Amino acid sequence: MDYAIAVIPGDGIGPDIIDETLQVLDRIGELYGHSFKYTELLAGGAALDAEGVPLPARTLAVCKESDAVLLGAVGGPQWDNLAGSRRPEQALLGLRSGLGLFANLRPAILFEELKDACPLRSDIIGEGLDIYVVRELTGGIYFGDRGSEELASGTRAWDTMAYSVPEVERIARLSFSIAMKRSKKVTSVDKANILESSRLWRATVEKVARDFPEVELNHMYVDNAAMQLVRNPHQFDVIVTSNMFGDILSDEASMITGSIGMLPSASLGEGSFGMYEPVHGSAPDIAGQDKANPIAAILSAAMMLRYTFELSAEADAVEAAVAAVLKGPSRTGDIIREGKGEKLTGTREMGKLIRDALVSA
Ligand code: IPM
Ligand code: MG
């Protein structure tokens, strides 16, 4: 089969990790007889420099015509002082809303071999960890009315958080469907003791839950959820939450897995189309130095194989190759531990090890 992938390397370490990821996909293509066609596109700071806008119209148009989008990372200090609407991060928001990607899936899995990189005590972490964060991605405070005004007392600025019933229904439905394939447990995270939009969120999630009688649902306030994640992460399986709470909690969950450099994500809409990107940012301090961990991007490509292309054997092969490499001593800087005989490994070497492991996977 032929698959058309829009590729947005972006800024900072984006190009470093995407380069390795495409080579992994090419190897999968050779091994399983697929052809992945890439169209490289500009977004974020790279697009600002080249075309003066964070998300050129052509980028969005080509993404829409593709089967899937693979994105590295956007942003960097040189663009930090631009006005809000011209920041590189606007490219991400424009892609998410322009492509209708309302659901962001962020699995947080602690690999057995990385247990020592987890900052929690071993008695808390126990036998490992497997949490699935489902973040609403095209609503809430990220897309609500915002602005600023000049008052005699100084400037005043605001952002608003709003949710509608259909927006909550679709993300809740997806979360329950995912839970049905896992341990049938959903924790919905909100701030219903304060926020009106959270009260609507909670009531709507409860209504959807009636269609999934086998799934155990509980609700948690976001402050408590942040605390419970480090107190007893094992109580969670699927977490469904709003755009901003999901942004925060997924970073927290990622740290429990040892490094944010390990976490992939998928952003999905109604159909099979999806955008795949690592959870981590552009890490400009190590860009272009062969230091970044390419695993999150490579695991994002595995999610693409699984969710958009429905190539589960190929997705399994990529994930198995990553796990196999982690059984060896090679580690990028973010996951290396002192005094364990591990070997500091660059981005390119890590990519090659994973590709080589694919042969036997
Ligand atoms: C993420 C990032 C983005 C977000 C930023 C870069 C706009 O933190 O994908 O989690 O806040 O959604
Ligand atoms: Mg984030």
Side-chain angles (χ1 to χ4, degrees):
M1 282 278 284
D2 278 9
Y3 300 96
I5 304 175
V7 178
I8 305 175
D11 309 318
I13 59 169
D16 307 2
I17 57 173
I18 289 300
D19 194 34
E20 296 310 316
T21 305
L22 297 185
Q23 291 186 58
V24 168
L25 281 172
D26 287 341
R27 187 80 189 106
I28 283 287
E30 281 165 27
L31 290 170
Y32 291 82
H34 306 299
S35 150
F36 300 109
K37 300 256 182 300
Y38 312 119
T39 308
E40 200 171 300
L41 300 165
L42 290 174
L48 277 163
D49 287 351
E51 304 191 13
V53 288
L55 181 60
R58 171 167 183 270
T59 296
L60 188 59
V62 173
C63 287
K64 280 185 181 163
E65 288 161 13
S66 305
D67 297 317
V69 182
L70 180 67
L71 185 142
V74 297
Q78 62 270 54
W79 305 288
D80 269 354
N81 294 323
L82 295 173
S85 63
R86 293 194 57 234
R87 290 181 61 102
E89 289 82 358
Q90 279 306 312
L92 275 184
L93 269 61
L95 285 164
R96 290 167 181 174
S97 66
L99 300 170
L101 305 171
F102 66 85
N104 187 212
L105 314 184
R106 298 189 159 184
I109 297 168
L110 175 60
F111 284 81
E112 179 68 32
E113 294 73 22
L114 294 186
K115 261 186 180 171
D116 290 347
C118 169
L120 297 184
R121 274 200 329 260
S122 60
D123 61 309
I124 296 177
I125 209 67
E127 285 311 299
L129 188 78
D130 182 353
I131 294 175
Y132 212 100
V133 180
V134 181
R135 169 188 178 192
E136 200 288 326
L137 204 58
T138 51
I141 198 162
Y142 273 54
F143 290 93
D145 175 54
R146 62 169 53 96
S148 66
E149 62 185 3
E150 297 308 323
L151 302 176
S153 53
T155 311
R156 178 175 171 271
W158 66 91
D159 300 271
T160 43
M161 177 149 158
Y163 271 108
S164 67
V165 167
E167 282 176 318
V168 183
E169 270 175 357
R170 62 186 183 184
I171 193 80
R173 200 162 288 286
L174 180 73
S175 307
F176 286 111
S177 314
I178 291 170
M180 284 299 288
K181 296 187 204 141
R182 294 172 52 96
S183 59
K184 301 190 178 163
K185 193 172 171 210
V186 170
T187 303
S188 172
V189 173
D190 61 38
K191 189 71 186 173
N193 49 348
I194 300 291
L195 303 177
E196 194 62 33
S197 57
S198 279
R199 286 190 273 274
L200 180 70
W201 176 282
R202 191 176 279 221
T204 308
V205 171
E206 279 190 353
K207 205 173 70 194
V208 173
R210 287 186 214 128
D211 293 340
F212 298 84
E214 283 173 60
V215 177
E216 178 195 337
L217 167 69
N218 72 312
H219 302 278
M220 205 178 270
Y221 298 139
V222 62
D223 49 346
N224 187 27
M227 187 263 278
Q228 295 295 339
L229 262 173
V230 287
R231 194 186 77 93
N232 174 18
H234 289 283
Q235 68 187 289
F236 297 104
D237 192 69
V238 173
I239 295 176
V240 59
T241 190
S242 61
N243 206 340
M244 185 164 66
F245 297 162
D247 178 44
I248 298 167
L249 293 179
S250 61
D251 265 34
E252 189 185 4
S254 79
M255 196 56 227
I256 303 175
T257 70
S259 166
I260 197 166
M262 298 292 300
L263 250 68
S265 86
S267 302
L268 303 175
E270 293 296 351
S272 62
F273 179 86
M275 180 163 84
Y276 298 84
E277 59 181 305
V279 170
H280 63 70
S282 59
D285 52 322
I286 57 164
Q289 297 170 37
D290 195 31
K291 284 184 179 166
N293 184 350
I295 292 181
I298 290 170
L299 291 175
S300 300
M303 291 186 87
M304 172 188 297
L305 294 169
R306 174 167 291 118
Y307 292 112
T308 293
F309 303 151
E310 294 185 26
L311 300 173
S312 50
E314 289 83 339
D316 288 347
V318 173
E319 287 164 2
V322 169
V325 169
L326 291 174
K327 288 205 169 30
S330 302
R331 296 278 186 277
T332 44
D334 58 318
I335 49 174
I336 200 163
R337 300 156 300 176
E338 299 223 346
K340 298 270 180 184
E342 294 175 345
K343 181 172 163 266
L344 184 62
T345 306
T347 311
R348 289 193 283 270
E349 173 71 8
M350 184 53 89
K352 180 174 185 316
L353 287 168
I354 292 168
R355 288 194 296 282
D356 290 348
L358 274 178
V359 181
S360 54

Coordinates of all heavy atoms in Angstrom, one line a residue, residues 95-130:
L95 N -3.2 23.8 13.3 CA -3.3 22.5 12.8 C -4.4 21.7 13.5 O -5.2 21.0 12.9 CB -1.9 21.8 12.9 CG -0.9 22.2 11.9 CD1 0.5 21.8 12.4 CD2 -1.1 21.7 10.5
R96 N -4.4 21.8 14.8 CA -5.3 21.0 15.6 C -6.8 21.4 15.2 O -7.6 20.5 14.9 CB -5.1 21.2 17.1 CG -3.8 20.6 17.6 CD -3.5 21.0 19.0 NE -2.2 20.4 19.4 CZ -1.6 20.8 20.6 NH1 -2.1 21.7 21.4 NH2 -0.5 20.1 20.9
S97 N -7.1 22.7 15.2 CA -8.4 23.1 14.9 C -8.7 22.9 13.4 O -9.8 22.4 13.0 CB -8.7 24.5 15.4 OG -7.9 25.4 14.7
G98 N -7.8 23.3 12.6 CA -8.0 23.3 11.1 C -8.2 21.8 10.6 O -8.9 21.6 9.6
L99 N -7.6 20.9 11.3 CA -7.8 19.5 10.9 C -8.8 18.7 11.7 O -9.0 17.5 11.6 CB -6.4 18.8 11.0 CG -5.3 19.3 10.2 CD1 -3.9 18.7 10.5 CD2 -5.6 19.1 8.7
G100 N -9.5 19.5 12.6 CA -10.6 18.9 13.4 C -10.1 17.8 14.4 O -10.8 16.8 14.7
L101 N -8.9 17.9 14.9 CA -8.3 16.9 15.8 C -8.7 17.2 17.2 O -7.9 17.8 17.9 CB -6.8 16.9 15.6 CG -6.4 16.7 14.1 CD1 -4.9 16.9 14.0 CD2 -6.8 15.3 13.6
F102 N -9.9 16.7 17.6 CA -10.4 17.1 18.9 C -9.9 16.2 20.1 O -10.1 16.5 21.2 CB -11.9 17.1 18.9 CG -12.5 15.7 18.7 CD1 -12.7 14.8 19.8 CD2 -12.9 15.3 17.5 CE1 -13.3 13.6 19.6 CE2 -13.4 14.0 17.3 CZ -13.6 13.2 18.3
A103 N -9.2 15.1 19.7 CA -8.7 14.2 20.8 C -7.2 14.0 20.7 O -6.7 13.7 19.7 CB -9.4 12.8 20.6
N104 N -6.6 14.1 21.8 CA -5.2 13.9 21.9 C -4.9 12.8 22.9 O -5.2 12.8 24.0 CB -4.5 15.2 22.4 CG -3.0 15.2 22.4 OD1 -2.4 15.8 23.3 ND2 -2.4 14.5 21.5
L105 N -4.4 11.7 22.3 CA -4.1 10.5 23.1 C -2.6 10.5 23.5 O -1.7 10.5 22.7 CB -4.4 9.2 22.3 CG -5.7 9.2 21.5 CD1 -5.9 7.9 20.8 CD2 -6.9 9.5 22.4
R106 N -2.4 10.4 24.8 CA -1.1 10.4 25.3 C -0.8 9.3 26.3 O -1.0 9.4 27.5 CB -0.8 11.8 26.0 CG -0.9 12.9 25.1 CD -0.5 14.2 25.7 NE -0.2 15.2 24.6 CZ 0.3 16.4 24.8 NH1 0.5 16.8 26.0 NH2 0.6 17.2 23.7
P107 N -0.4 8.1 25.7 CA -0.2 7.0 26.6 C 1.1 7.2 27.4 O 2.1 7.6 26.8 CB 0.0 5.8 25.6 CG 0.2 6.4 24.3 CD -0.2 7.8 24.3
A108 N 1.1 7.0 28.7 CA 2.3 7.1 29.5 C 2.7 5.7 30.0 O 2.0 5.2 30.9 CB 2.0 8.1 30.7
I109 N 3.7 5.1 29.4 CA 4.1 3.8 29.8 C 5.5 3.8 30.3 O 6.4 4.4 29.7 CB 4.0 2.8 28.5 CG1 2.5 2.7 28.1 CG2 4.6 1.5 28.8 CD1 2.4 2.1 26.7
L110 N 5.7 3.2 31.5 CA 7.0 3.1 32.0 C 7.7 1.8 31.6 O 7.2 0.7 32.0 CB 7.0 3.2 33.6 CG 8.3 3.0 34.3 CD1 9.3 4.0 33.9 CD2 8.0 3.0 35.8
F111 N 8.7 1.9 30.7 CA 9.4 0.6 30.3 C 10.1 0.1 31.5 O 10.8 0.8 32.3 CB 10.4 0.9 29.2 CG 9.8 1.2 27.9 CD1 9.2 2.4 27.5 CD2 9.7 0.1 26.9 CE1 8.6 2.6 26.3 CE2 9.1 0.3 25.7 CZ 8.6 1.5 25.4
E112 N 10.0 -1.2 31.7 CA 10.7 -2.0 32.7 C 12.2 -1.5 32.9 O 12.6 -1.3 34.0 CB 10.6 -3.5 32.4 CG 11.3 -4.4 33.3 CD 10.6 -4.5 34.6 OE1 9.3 -4.4 34.6 OE2 11.3 -4.7 35.7
E113 N 12.8 -1.4 31.7 CA 14.3 -1.0 31.8 C 14.5 0.4 32.2 O 15.7 0.8 32.5 CB 14.9 -1.2 30.4 CG 14.9 -2.6 29.9 CD 13.5 -3.2 29.5 OE1 12.6 -2.3 29.2 OE2 13.3 -4.4 29.5
L114 N 13.5 1.2 32.3 CA 13.7 2.6 32.7 C 13.2 2.9 34.1 O 13.1 4.1 34.5 CB 13.0 3.6 31.7 CG 13.5 3.6 30.3 CD1 12.8 4.6 29.5 CD2 15.0 3.8 30.2
K115 N 12.9 1.8 34.8 CA 12.3 2.0 36.2 C 13.2 3.0 37.0 O 12.7 3.8 37.8 CB 12.3 0.7 36.9 CG 10.9 0.1 36.8 CD 10.9 -1.2 37.7 CE 9.6 -1.9 37.7 NZ 9.8 -3.2 38.4
D116 N 14.5 2.8 36.9 CA 15.4 3.7 37.7 C 15.4 5.1 37.3 O 15.8 6.0 38.0 CB 16.9 3.2 37.6 CG 17.0 1.8 38.3 OD1 16.1 1.5 39.0 OD2 18.1 1.2 38.1
A117 N 14.9 5.4 36.1 CA 14.8 6.8 35.6 C 13.5 7.5 36.2 O 13.4 8.7 36.1 CB 14.8 6.9 34.1
C118 N 12.6 6.7 36.7 CA 11.4 7.2 37.3 C 11.7 7.9 38.6 O 12.3 7.3 39.5 CB 10.4 6.1 37.5 SG 8.9 6.5 38.4
P119 N 11.2 9.1 38.8 CA 11.6 9.8 40.1 C 10.8 9.4 41.3 O 11.1 9.8 42.4 CB 11.2 11.3 39.7 CG 10.2 11.2 38.6 CD 10.5 10.0 37.9
L120 N 9.8 8.5 41.1 CA 9.0 8.0 42.2 C 9.7 6.8 42.9 O 10.4 6.1 42.3 CB 7.6 7.6 41.8 CG 6.7 8.7 41.2 CD1 5.3 8.1 40.9 CD2 6.6 9.9 42.2
R121 N 9.5 6.7 44.2 CA 10.0 5.5 44.9 C 9.6 4.2 44.3 O 8.4 4.1 43.9 CB 9.6 5.6 46.4 CG 10.4 6.4 47.3 CD 10.2 6.0 48.8 NE 8.9 5.5 49.1 CZ 7.9 6.2 49.6 NH1 8.1 7.5 49.9 NH2 6.8 5.7 49.9
S122 N 10.4 3.2 44.4 CA 10.1 1.9 43.7 C 8.9 1.3 44.4 O 8.1 0.6 43.7 CB 11.3 1.0 43.8 OG 11.7 0.7 45.1
D123 N 8.6 1.5 45.7 CA 7.4 0.9 46.3 C 6.1 1.6 45.7 O 5.1 1.0 45.8 CB 7.5 0.9 47.8 CG 7.6 2.3 48.3 OD1 8.4 3.1 47.9 OD2 6.7 2.7 49.2
I124 N 6.3 2.8 45.3 CA 5.1 3.5 44.7 C 4.9 3.0 43.2 O 3.8 2.7 42.8 CB 5.3 5.0 44.7 CG1 5.3 5.5 46.1 CG2 4.1 5.7 43.9 CD1 5.6 7.0 46.3
I125 N 6.0 2.9 42.5 CA 5.9 2.5 41.1 C 5.6 1.0 40.9 O 5.0 0.6 39.9 CB 7.1 3.0 40.3 CG1 6.7 3.4 38.9 CG2 8.3 2.2 40.4 CD1 5.7 4.5 38.8
G126 N 6.1 0.2 41.8 CA 5.8 -1.2 41.7 C 6.2 -1.9 40.4 O 7.3 -1.7 40.0
E127 N 5.2 -2.5 39.8 CA 5.5 -3.3 38.6 C 5.5 -2.5 37.3 O 5.3 -3.1 36.2 CB 4.5 -4.5 38.5 CG 4.8 -5.6 39.5 CD 6.2 -6.0 39.5 OE1 6.7 -6.5 38.4 OE2 6.9 -5.9 40.5
G128 N 5.7 -1.2 37.4 CA 5.6 -0.4 36.1 C 4.3 0.4 36.1 O 3.6 0.5 37.1
L129 N 4.1 1.0 34.9 CA 3.0 1.9 34.9 C 2.4 2.0 33.4 O 3.2 1.9 32.5 CB 3.5 3.3 35.3 CG 2.5 4.4 35.4 CD1 1.8 4.2 36.8 CD2 3.1 5.7 35.4
D130 N 1.1 2.1 33.3 CA 0.5 2.2 32.0 C -0.8 3.0 32.1 O -1.8 2.5 32.4 CB 0.2 0.8 31.5 CG -0.4 0.8 30.1 OD1 -0.7 1.9 29.5 OD2 -0.5 -0.3 29.5

